Amino acid sequence: MEVKIGIQNIGREIVLESAQDADAVATLVGDAMAKGTELRLTDDKGRVVIIPANVLGYVEIGAEEARRVGFGQL
């Protein structure tokens, strides 16, 4: 699933593909904001993104979509 993270006072957003489900990502974001710690997310290639919770502008969690394979109807 695609996760977009906006940072305060920064024009670009961080975009990553995560293997975690939407509820797990939402829980991590909520916990980081409530505790004032960093937000740690791992993308589908194993890279870790660490963002201080106090600079988060927004987090957009994309819908889980099954990948289409083949030449079916578009």
mmCIF file with all atom_site columns, all heavy atoms in Angstrom, residues 25-52:
data_model
loop_
_atom_site.group_PDB
_atom_site.id
_atom_site.type_symbol
_atom_site.label_atom_id
_atom_site.label_alt_id
_atom_site.label_comp_id
_atom_site.label_asym_id
_atom_site.label_entity_id
_atom_site.label_seq_id
_atom_site.pdbx_PDB_ins_code
_atom_site.Cartn_x
_atom_site.Cartn_y
_atom_site.Cartn_z
_atom_site.occupancy
_atom_site.B_iso_or_equiv
_atom_site.pdbx_formal_charge
_atom_site.auth_seq_id
_atom_site.auth_comp_id
_atom_site.auth_asym_id
_atom_site.auth_atom_id
_atom_site.pdbx_PDB_model_num
ATOM 1   N N   . VAL A 1 25 ? -0.415 0.646  9.951  1.00 0.00 ? 25 VAL A N   1
ATOM 2   C CA  . VAL A 1 25 ? 0.222  1.942  9.719  1.00 0.00 ? 25 VAL A CA  1
ATOM 3   C C   . VAL A 1 25 ? -0.474 3.026  10.536 1.00 0.00 ? 25 VAL A C   1
ATOM 4   O O   . VAL A 1 25 ? 0.179  3.867  11.157 1.00 0.00 ? 25 VAL A O   1
ATOM 5   C CB  . VAL A 1 25 ? 0.225  2.290  8.215  1.00 0.00 ? 25 VAL A CB  1
ATOM 6   C CG1 . VAL A 1 25 ? 0.740  3.704  7.992  1.00 0.00 ? 25 VAL A CG1 1
ATOM 7   C CG2 . VAL A 1 25 ? 1.065  1.295  7.439  1.00 0.00 ? 25 VAL A CG2 1
ATOM 8   N N   . ALA A 1 26 ? -1.808 3.010  10.559 1.00 0.00 ? 26 ALA A N   1
ATOM 9   C CA  . ALA A 1 26 ? -2.562 4.005  11.333 1.00 0.00 ? 26 ALA A CA  1
ATOM 10  C C   . ALA A 1 26 ? -2.239 3.897  12.826 1.00 0.00 ? 26 ALA A C   1
ATOM 11  O O   . ALA A 1 26 ? -2.115 4.912  13.516 1.00 0.00 ? 26 ALA A O   1
ATOM 12  C CB  . ALA A 1 26 ? -4.052 3.836  11.100 1.00 0.00 ? 26 ALA A CB  1
ATOM 13  N N   . THR A 1 27 ? -2.065 2.693  13.322 1.00 0.00 ? 27 THR A N   1
ATOM 14  C CA  . THR A 1 27 ? -1.709 2.492  14.734 1.00 0.00 ? 27 THR A CA  1
ATOM 15  C C   . THR A 1 27 ? -0.319 3.046  15.022 1.00 0.00 ? 27 THR A C   1
ATOM 16  O O   . THR A 1 27 ? -0.115 3.716  16.045 1.00 0.00 ? 27 THR A O   1
ATOM 17  C CB  . THR A 1 27 ? -1.763 0.995  15.086 1.00 0.00 ? 27 THR A CB  1
ATOM 18  O OG1 . THR A 1 27 ? -3.095 0.516  14.854 1.00 0.00 ? 27 THR A OG1 1
ATOM 19  C CG2 . THR A 1 27 ? -1.391 0.755  16.535 1.00 0.00 ? 27 THR A CG2 1
ATOM 20  N N   . LEU A 1 28 ? 0.640  2.788  14.130 1.00 0.00 ? 28 LEU A N   1
ATOM 21  C CA  . LEU A 1 28 ? 1.988  3.322  14.321 1.00 0.00 ? 28 LEU A CA  1
ATOM 22  C C   . LEU A 1 28 ? 1.996  4.847  14.327 1.00 0.00 ? 28 LEU A C   1
ATOM 23  O O   . LEU A 1 28 ? 2.668  5.470  15.155 1.00 0.00 ? 28 LEU A O   1
ATOM 24  C CB  . LEU A 1 28 ? 2.918  2.806  13.220 1.00 0.00 ? 28 LEU A CB  1
ATOM 25  C CG  . LEU A 1 28 ? 3.297  1.336  13.271 1.00 0.00 ? 28 LEU A CG  1
ATOM 26  C CD1 . LEU A 1 28 ? 4.049  0.937  12.008 1.00 0.00 ? 28 LEU A CD1 1
ATOM 27  C CD2 . LEU A 1 28 ? 4.131  1.049  14.500 1.00 0.00 ? 28 LEU A CD2 1
ATOM 28  N N   . VAL A 1 29 ? 1.237  5.452  13.423 1.00 0.00 ? 29 VAL A N   1
ATOM 29  C CA  . VAL A 1 29 ? 1.165  6.917  13.355 1.00 0.00 ? 29 VAL A CA  1
ATOM 30  C C   . VAL A 1 29 ? 0.517  7.473  14.622 1.00 0.00 ? 29 VAL A C   1
ATOM 31  O O   . VAL A 1 29 ? 1.027  8.420  15.229 1.00 0.00 ? 29 VAL A O   1
ATOM 32  C CB  . VAL A 1 29 ? 0.392  7.374  12.095 1.00 0.00 ? 29 VAL A CB  1
ATOM 33  C CG1 . VAL A 1 29 ? 0.148  8.867  12.135 1.00 0.00 ? 29 VAL A CG1 1
ATOM 34  C CG2 . VAL A 1 29 ? 1.146  6.983  10.840 1.00 0.00 ? 29 VAL A CG2 1
ATOM 35  N N   . GLY A 1 30 ? -0.584 6.880  15.037 1.00 0.00 ? 30 GLY A N   1
ATOM 36  C CA  . GLY A 1 30 ? -1.278 7.343  16.242 1.00 0.00 ? 30 GLY A CA  1
ATOM 37  C C   . GLY A 1 30 ? -0.426 7.232  17.490 1.00 0.00 ? 30 GLY A C   1
ATOM 38  O O   . GLY A 1 30 ? -0.394 8.144  18.318 1.00 0.00 ? 30 GLY A O   1
ATOM 39  N N   . ASP A 1 31 ? 0.274  6.115  17.630 1.00 0.00 ? 31 ASP A N   1
ATOM 40  C CA  . ASP A 1 31 ? 1.151  5.924  18.795 1.00 0.00 ? 31 ASP A CA  1
ATOM 41  C C   . ASP A 1 31 ? 2.291  6.940  18.806 1.00 0.00 ? 31 ASP A C   1
ATOM 42  O O   . ASP A 1 31 ? 2.624  7.495  19.858 1.00 0.00 ? 31 ASP A O   1
ATOM 43  C CB  . ASP A 1 31 ? 1.723  4.507  18.810 1.00 0.00 ? 31 ASP A CB  1
ATOM 44  C CG  . ASP A 1 31 ? 0.687  3.456  19.147 1.00 0.00 ? 31 ASP A CG  1
ATOM 45  O OD1 . ASP A 1 31 ? -0.413 3.820  19.633 1.00 0.00 ? 31 ASP A OD1 1
ATOM 46  O OD2 . ASP A 1 31 ? 0.968  2.263  18.925 1.00 0.00 ? 31 ASP A OD2 1
ATOM 47  N N   . ALA A 1 32 ? 2.897  7.171  17.643 1.00 0.00 ? 32 ALA A N   1
ATOM 48  C CA  . ALA A 1 32 ? 4.008  8.127  17.566 1.00 0.00 ? 32 ALA A CA  1
ATOM 49  C C   . ALA A 1 32 ? 3.539  9.530  17.926 1.00 0.00 ? 32 ALA A C   1
ATOM 50  O O   . ALA A 1 32 ? 4.236  10.259 18.642 1.00 0.00 ? 32 ALA A O   1
ATOM 51  C CB  . ALA A 1 32 ? 4.623  8.114  16.174 1.00 0.00 ? 32 ALA A CB  1
ATOM 52  N N   . MET A 1 33 ? 2.357  9.915  17.449 1.00 0.00 ? 33 MET A N   1
ATOM 53  C CA  . MET A 1 33 ? 1.856  11.259 17.747 1.00 0.00 ? 33 MET A CA  1
ATOM 54  C C   . MET A 1 33 ? 1.451  11.394 19.208 1.00 0.00 ? 33 MET A C   1
ATOM 55  O O   . MET A 1 33 ? 1.689  12.427 19.832 1.00 0.00 ? 33 MET A O   1
ATOM 56  C CB  . MET A 1 33 ? 0.703  11.593 16.821 1.00 0.00 ? 33 MET A CB  1
ATOM 57  C CG  . MET A 1 33 ? 1.154  11.734 15.374 1.00 0.00 ? 33 MET A CG  1
ATOM 58  S SD  . MET A 1 33 ? -0.156 12.139 14.249 1.00 0.00 ? 33 MET A SD  1
ATOM 59  C CE  . MET A 1 33 ? -0.456 13.835 14.712 1.00 0.00 ? 33 MET A CE  1
ATOM 60  N N   . ALA A 1 34 ? 0.847  10.358 19.774 1.00 0.00 ? 34 ALA A N   1
ATOM 61  C CA  . ALA A 1 34 ? 0.410  10.410 21.167 1.00 0.00 ? 34 ALA A CA  1
ATOM 62  C C   . ALA A 1 34 ? 1.599  10.466 22.129 1.00 0.00 ? 34 ALA A C   1
ATOM 63  O O   . ALA A 1 34 ? 1.560  11.178 23.125 1.00 0.00 ? 34 ALA A O   1
ATOM 64  C CB  . ALA A 1 34 ? -0.465 9.207  21.485 1.00 0.00 ? 34 ALA A CB  1
ATOM 65  N N   . LYS A 1 35 ? 2.642  9.714  21.824 1.00 0.00 ? 35 LYS A N   1
ATOM 66  C CA  . LYS A 1 35 ? 3.806  9.646  22.711 1.00 0.00 ? 35 LYS A CA  1
ATOM 67  C C   . LYS A 1 35 ? 4.845  10.720 22.407 1.00 0.00 ? 35 LYS A C   1
ATOM 68  O O   . LYS A 1 35 ? 5.761  10.935 23.197 1.00 0.00 ? 35 LYS A O   1
ATOM 69  C CB  . LYS A 1 35 ? 4.461  8.272  22.594 1.00 0.00 ? 35 LYS A CB  1
ATOM 70  C CG  . LYS A 1 35 ? 3.569  7.144  23.077 1.00 0.00 ? 35 LYS A CG  1
ATOM 71  C CD  . LYS A 1 35 ? 4.231  5.812  22.851 1.00 0.00 ? 35 LYS A CD  1
ATOM 72  C CE  . LYS A 1 35 ? 3.307  4.674  23.261 1.00 0.00 ? 35 LYS A CE  1
ATOM 73  N NZ  . LYS A 1 35 ? 3.888  3.364  22.933 1.00 0.00 ? 35 LYS A NZ  1
ATOM 74  N N   . GLY A 1 36 ? 4.741  11.369 21.230 1.00 0.00 ? 36 GLY A N   1
ATOM 75  C CA  . GLY A 1 36 ? 5.713  12.385 20.859 1.00 0.00 ? 36 GLY A CA  1
ATOM 76  C C   . GLY A 1 36 ? 7.062  11.802 20.461 1.00 0.00 ? 36 GLY A C   1
ATOM 77  O O   . GLY A 1 36 ? 8.078  12.474 20.534 1.00 0.00 ? 36 GLY A O   1
ATOM 78  N N   . THR A 1 37 ? 7.068  10.554 20.017 1.00 0.00 ? 37 THR A N   1
ATOM 79  C CA  . THR A 1 37 ? 8.302  9.902  19.587 1.00 0.00 ? 37 THR A CA  1
ATOM 80  C C   . THR A 1 37 ? 8.400  9.949  18.068 1.00 0.00 ? 37 THR A C   1
ATOM 81  O O   . THR A 1 37 ? 7.607  10.607 17.416 1.00 0.00 ? 37 THR A O   1
ATOM 82  C CB  . THR A 1 37 ? 8.335  8.435  20.064 1.00 0.00 ? 37 THR A CB  1
ATOM 83  O OG1 . THR A 1 37 ? 7.214  7.742  19.503 1.00 0.00 ? 37 THR A OG1 1
ATOM 84  C CG2 . THR A 1 37 ? 8.284  8.345  21.571 1.00 0.00 ? 37 THR A CG2 1
ATOM 85  N N   . GLU A 1 38 ? 9.364  9.231  17.519 1.00 0.00 ? 38 GLU A N   1
ATOM 86  C CA  . GLU A 1 38 ? 9.502  9.211  16.067 1.00 0.00 ? 38 GLU A CA  1
ATOM 87  C C   . GLU A 1 38 ? 8.569  8.170  15.453 1.00 0.00 ? 38 GLU A C   1
ATOM 88  O O   . GLU A 1 38 ? 8.194  7.195  16.094 1.00 0.00 ? 38 GLU A O   1
ATOM 89  C CB  . GLU A 1 38 ? 10.944 8.921  15.647 1.00 0.00 ? 38 GLU A CB  1
ATOM 90  C CG  . GLU A 1 38 ? 11.401 7.505  15.879 1.00 0.00 ? 38 GLU A CG  1
ATOM 91  C CD  . GLU A 1 38 ? 11.976 7.260  17.264 1.00 0.00 ? 38 GLU A CD  1
ATOM 92  O OE1 . GLU A 1 38 ? 12.188 8.208  18.015 1.00 0.00 ? 38 GLU A OE1 1
ATOM 93  O OE2 . GLU A 1 38 ? 12.225 6.086  17.570 1.00 0.00 ? 38 GLU A OE2 1
ATOM 94  N N   . LEU A 1 39 ? 8.225  8.423  14.198 1.00 0.00 ? 39 LEU A N   1
ATOM 95  C CA  . LEU A 1 39 ? 7.434  7.485  13.413 1.00 0.00 ? 39 LEU A CA  1
ATOM 96  C C   . LEU A 1 39 ? 8.400  6.655  12.590 1.00 0.00 ? 39 LEU A C   1
ATOM 97  O O   . LEU A 1 39 ? 9.206  7.197  11.836 1.00 0.00 ? 39 LEU A O   1
ATOM 98  C CB  . LEU A 1 39 ? 6.466  8.234  12.489 1.00 0.00 ? 39 LEU A CB  1
ATOM 99  C CG  . LEU A 1 39 ? 5.722  7.406  11.455 1.00 0.00 ? 39 LEU A CG  1
ATOM 100 C CD1 . LEU A 1 39 ? 4.821  6.371  12.128 1.00 0.00 ? 39 LEU A CD1 1
ATOM 101 C CD2 . LEU A 1 39 ? 4.906  8.296  10.549 1.00 0.00 ? 39 LEU A CD2 1
ATOM 102 N N   . ARG A 1 40 ? 8.360  5.337  12.753 1.00 0.00 ? 40 ARG A N   1
ATOM 103 C CA  . ARG A 1 40 ? 9.236  4.431  12.014 1.00 0.00 ? 40 ARG A CA  1
ATOM 104 C C   . ARG A 1 40 ? 8.388  3.556  11.114 1.00 0.00 ? 40 ARG A C   1
ATOM 105 O O   . ARG A 1 40 ? 7.549  2.805  11.596 1.00 0.00 ? 40 ARG A O   1
ATOM 106 C CB  . ARG A 1 40 ? 10.025 3.527  12.959 1.00 0.00 ? 40 ARG A CB  1
ATOM 107 C CG  . ARG A 1 40 ? 11.070 4.235  13.740 1.00 0.00 ? 40 ARG A CG  1
ATOM 108 C CD  . ARG A 1 40 ? 11.753 3.264  14.711 1.00 0.00 ? 40 ARG A CD  1
ATOM 109 N NE  . ARG A 1 40 ? 12.823 3.933  15.401 1.00 0.00 ? 40 ARG A NE  1
ATOM 110 C CZ  . ARG A 1 40 ? 14.100 3.723  15.158 1.00 0.00 ? 40 ARG A CZ  1
ATOM 111 N NH1 . ARG A 1 40 ? 14.468 2.835  14.257 1.00 0.00 ? 40 ARG A NH1 1
ATOM 112 N NH2 . ARG A 1 40 ? 15.025 4.384  15.816 1.00 0.00 ? 40 ARG A NH2 1
ATOM 113 N N   . LEU A 1 41 ? 8.614  3.668  9.814  1.00 0.00 ? 41 LEU A N   1
ATOM 114 C CA  . LEU A 1 41 ? 7.916  2.837  8.845  1.00 0.00 ? 41 LEU A CA  1
ATOM 115 C C   . LEU A 1 41 ? 8.943  2.112  7.987  1.00 0.00 ? 41 LEU A C   1
ATOM 116 O O   . LEU A 1 41 ? 9.977  2.677  7.634  1.00 0.00 ? 41 LEU A O   1
ATOM 117 C CB  . LEU A 1 41 ? 7.015  3.680  7.950  1.00 0.00 ? 41 LEU A CB  1
ATOM 118 C CG  . LEU A 1 41 ? 5.846  4.380  8.627  1.00 0.00 ? 41 LEU A CG  1
ATOM 119 C CD1 . LEU A 1 41 ? 5.127  5.273  7.635  1.00 0.00 ? 41 LEU A CD1 1
ATOM 120 C CD2 . LEU A 1 41 ? 4.888  3.365  9.210  1.00 0.00 ? 41 LEU A CD2 1
ATOM 121 N N   . THR A 1 42 ? 8.638  0.874  7.632  1.00 0.00 ? 42 THR A N   1
ATOM 122 C CA  . THR A 1 42 ? 9.502  0.080  6.777  1.00 0.00 ? 42 THR A CA  1
ATOM 123 C C   . THR A 1 42 ? 8.824  -0.092 5.426  1.00 0.00 ? 42 THR A C   1
ATOM 124 O O   . THR A 1 42 ? 7.649  -0.463 5.367  1.00 0.00 ? 42 THR A O   1
ATOM 125 C CB  . THR A 1 42 ? 9.769  -1.302 7.406  1.00 0.00 ? 42 THR A CB  1
ATOM 126 O OG1 . THR A 1 42 ? 10.299 -1.114 8.708  1.00 0.00 ? 42 THR A OG1 1
ATOM 127 C CG2 . THR A 1 42 ? 10.750 -2.098 6.578  1.00 0.00 ? 42 THR A CG2 1
ATOM 128 N N   . ASP A 1 43 ? 9.550  0.199  4.347  1.00 0.00 ? 43 ASP A N   1
ATOM 129 C CA  . ASP A 1 43 ? 8.950  0.043  3.027  1.00 0.00 ? 43 ASP A CA  1
ATOM 130 C C   . ASP A 1 43 ? 9.073  -1.407 2.557  1.00 0.00 ? 43 ASP A C   1
ATOM 131 O O   . ASP A 1 43 ? 9.638  -2.252 3.252  1.00 0.00 ? 43 ASP A O   1
ATOM 132 C CB  . ASP A 1 43 ? 9.549  1.029  2.020  1.00 0.00 ? 43 ASP A CB  1
ATOM 133 C CG  . ASP A 1 43 ? 10.978 0.723  1.618  1.00 0.00 ? 43 ASP A CG  1
ATOM 134 O OD1 . ASP A 1 43 ? 11.554 -0.264 2.123  1.00 0.00 ? 43 ASP A OD1 1
ATOM 135 O OD2 . ASP A 1 43 ? 11.518 1.465  0.798  1.00 0.00 ? 43 ASP A OD2 1
ATOM 136 N N   . ASP A 1 44 ? 8.538  -1.691 1.383  1.00 0.00 ? 44 ASP A N   1
ATOM 137 C CA  . ASP A 1 44 ? 8.510  -3.065 0.895  1.00 0.00 ? 44 ASP A CA  1
ATOM 138 C C   . ASP A 1 44 ? 9.873  -3.595 0.470  1.00 0.00 ? 44 ASP A C   1
ATOM 139 O O   . ASP A 1 44 ? 10.027 -4.781 0.220  1.00 0.00 ? 44 ASP A O   1
ATOM 140 C CB  . ASP A 1 44 ? 7.507  -3.212 -0.248 1.00 0.00 ? 44 ASP A CB  1
ATOM 141 C CG  . ASP A 1 44 ? 7.805  -2.298 -1.425 1.00 0.00 ? 44 ASP A CG  1
ATOM 142 O OD1 . ASP A 1 44 ? 8.718  -1.458 -1.323 1.00 0.00 ? 44 ASP A OD1 1
ATOM 143 O OD2 . ASP A 1 44 ? 7.115  -2.416 -2.448 1.00 0.00 ? 44 ASP A OD2 1
ATOM 144 N N   . LYS A 1 45 ? 10.902 -2.746 0.436  1.00 0.00 ? 45 LYS A N   1
ATOM 145 C CA  . LYS A 1 45 ? 12.266 -3.179 0.124  1.00 0.00 ? 45 LYS A CA  1
ATOM 146 C C   . LYS A 1 45 ? 13.120 -3.311 1.372  1.00 0.00 ? 45 LYS A C   1
ATOM 147 O O   . LYS A 1 45 ? 14.310 -3.571 1.293  1.00 0.00 ? 45 LYS A O   1
ATOM 148 C CB  . LYS A 1 45 ? 12.920 -2.198 -0.847 1.00 0.00 ? 45 LYS A CB  1
ATOM 149 C CG  . LYS A 1 45 ? 12.233 -2.168 -2.195 1.00 0.00 ? 45 LYS A CG  1
ATOM 150 C CD  . LYS A 1 45 ? 12.910 -1.211 -3.129 1.00 0.00 ? 45 LYS A CD  1
ATOM 151 C CE  . LYS A 1 45 ? 12.151 -1.201 -4.452 1.00 0.00 ? 45 LYS A CE  1
ATOM 152 N NZ  . LYS A 1 45 ? 12.724 -0.240 -5.394 1.00 0.00 ? 45 LYS A NZ  1
ATOM 153 N N   . GLY A 1 46 ? 12.526 -3.092 2.546  1.00 0.00 ? 46 GLY A N   1
ATOM 154 C CA  . GLY A 1 46 ? 13.233 -3.249 3.806  1.00 0.00 ? 46 GLY A CA  1
ATOM 155 C C   . GLY A 1 46 ? 13.892 -1.997 4.337  1.00 0.00 ? 46 GLY A C   1
ATOM 156 O O   . GLY A 1 46 ? 14.535 -2.030 5.384  1.00 0.00 ? 46 GLY A O   1
ATOM 157 N N   . ARG A 1 47 ? 13.754 -0.868 3.637  1.00 0.00 ? 47 ARG A N   1
ATOM 158 C CA  . ARG A 1 47 ? 14.337 0.390  4.122  1.00 0.00 ? 47 ARG A CA  1
ATOM 159 C C   . ARG A 1 47 ? 13.451 0.966  5.224  1.00 0.00 ? 47 ARG A C   1
ATOM 160 O O   . ARG A 1 47 ? 12.236 0.856  5.180  1.00 0.00 ? 47 ARG A O   1
ATOM 161 C CB  . ARG A 1 47 ? 14.472 1.388  2.986  1.00 0.00 ? 47 ARG A CB  1
ATOM 162 C CG  . ARG A 1 47 ? 15.434 0.934  1.911  1.00 0.00 ? 47 ARG A CG  1
ATOM 163 C CD  . ARG A 1 47 ? 15.509 1.909  0.799  1.00 0.00 ? 47 ARG A CD  1
ATOM 164 N NE  . ARG A 1 47 ? 14.246 1.850  0.050  1.00 0.00 ? 47 ARG A NE  1
ATOM 165 C CZ  . ARG A 1 47 ? 14.067 2.322  -1.158 1.00 0.00 ? 47 ARG A CZ  1
ATOM 166 N NH1 . ARG A 1 47 ? 15.049 2.936  -1.768 1.00 0.00 ? 47 ARG A NH1 1
ATOM 167 N NH2 . ARG A 1 47 ? 12.913 2.200  -1.760 1.00 0.00 ? 47 ARG A NH2 1
ATOM 168 N N   . VAL A 1 48 ? 14.074 1.592  6.206  1.00 0.00 ? 48 VAL A N   1
ATOM 169 C CA  . VAL A 1 48 ? 13.354 2.185  7.334  1.00 0.00 ? 48 VAL A CA  1
ATOM 170 C C   . VAL A 1 48 ? 13.343 3.702  7.180  1.00 0.00 ? 48 VAL A C   1
ATOM 171 O O   . VAL A 1 48 ? 14.382 4.309  6.937  1.00 0.00 ? 48 VAL A O   1
ATOM 172 C CB  . VAL A 1 48 ? 14.009 1.795  8.675  1.00 0.00 ? 48 VAL A CB  1
ATOM 173 C CG1 . VAL A 1 48 ? 13.278 2.451  9.830  1.00 0.00 ? 48 VAL A CG1 1
ATOM 174 C CG2 . VAL A 1 48 ? 14.014 0.286  8.840  1.00 0.00 ? 48 VAL A CG2 1
ATOM 175 N N   . VAL A 1 49 ? 12.158 4.298  7.316  1.00 0.00 ? 49 VAL A N   1
ATOM 176 C CA  . VAL A 1 49 ? 12.005 5.749  7.276  1.00 0.00 ? 49 VAL A CA  1
ATOM 177 C C   . VAL A 1 49 ? 11.654 6.192  8.696  1.00 0.00 ? 49 VAL A C   1
ATOM 178 O O   . VAL A 1 49 ? 10.712 5.682  9.291  1.00 0.00 ? 49 VAL A O   1
ATOM 179 C CB  . VAL A 1 49 ? 10.881 6.157  6.291  1.00 0.00 ? 49 VAL A CB  1
ATOM 180 C CG1 . VAL A 1 49 ? 10.679 7.655  6.314  1.00 0.00 ? 49 VAL A CG1 1
ATOM 181 C CG2 . VAL A 1 49 ? 11.202 5.680  4.901  1.00 0.00 ? 49 VAL A CG2 1
ATOM 182 N N   . ILE A 1 50 ? 12.439 7.133  9.231  1.00 0.00 ? 50 ILE A N   1
ATOM 183 C CA  . ILE A 1 50 ? 12.226 7.627  10.599 1.00 0.00 ? 50 ILE A CA  1
ATOM 184 C C   . ILE A 1 50 ? 11.937 9.120  10.532 1.00 0.00 ? 50 ILE A C   1
ATOM 185 O O   . ILE A 1 50 ? 12.730 9.884  9.978  1.00 0.00 ? 50 ILE A O   1
ATOM 186 C CB  . ILE A 1 50 ? 13.464 7.371  11.481 1.00 0.00 ? 50 ILE A CB  1
ATOM 187 C CG1 . ILE A 1 50 ? 13.793 5.876  11.496 1.00 0.00 ? 50 ILE A CG1 1
ATOM 188 C CG2 . ILE A 1 50 ? 13.227 7.896  12.893 1.00 0.00 ? 50 ILE A CG2 1
ATOM 189 C CD1 . ILE A 1 50 ? 15.108 5.556  12.154 1.00 0.00 ? 50 ILE A CD1 1
ATOM 190 N N   . ILE A 1 51 ? 10.797 9.514  11.099 1.00 0.00 ? 51 ILE A N   1
ATOM 191 C CA  . ILE A 1 51 ? 10.373 10.912 11.071 1.00 0.00 ? 51 ILE A CA  1
ATOM 192 C C   . ILE A 1 51 ? 9.955  11.317 12.489 1.00 0.00 ? 51 ILE A C   1
ATOM 193 O O   . ILE A 1 51 ? 9.139  10.630 13.104 1.00 0.00 ? 51 ILE A O   1
ATOM 194 C CB  . ILE A 1 51 ? 9.180  11.104 10.122 1.00 0.00 ? 51 ILE A CB  1
ATOM 195 C CG1 . ILE A 1 51 ? 9.537  10.594 8.732  1.00 0.00 ? 51 ILE A CG1 1
ATOM 196 C CG2 . ILE A 1 51 ? 8.740  12.553 10.084 1.00 0.00 ? 51 ILE A CG2 1
ATOM 197 C CD1 . ILE A 1 51 ? 8.362  10.278 7.888  1.00 0.00 ? 51 ILE A CD1 1
ATOM 198 N N   . PRO A 1 52 ? 10.465 12.433 13.014 1.00 0.00 ? 52 PRO A N   1
ATOM 199 C CA  . PRO A 1 52 ? 10.010 12.903 14.322 1.00 0.00 ? 52 PRO A CA  1
ATOM 200 C C   . PRO A 1 52 ? 8.522  13.249 14.264 1.00 0.00 ? 52 PRO A C   1
ATOM 201 O O   . PRO A 1 52 ? 8.065  13.911 13.329 1.00 0.00 ? 52 PRO A O   1
ATOM 202 C CB  . PRO A 1 52 ? 10.841 14.155 14.576 1.00 0.00 ? 52 PRO A CB  1
ATOM 203 C CG  . PRO A 1 52 ? 12.011 14.043 13.646 1.00 0.00 ? 52 PRO A CG  1
ATOM 204 C CD  . PRO A 1 52 ? 11.529 13.269 12.463 1.00 0.00 ? 52 PRO A CD  1
#
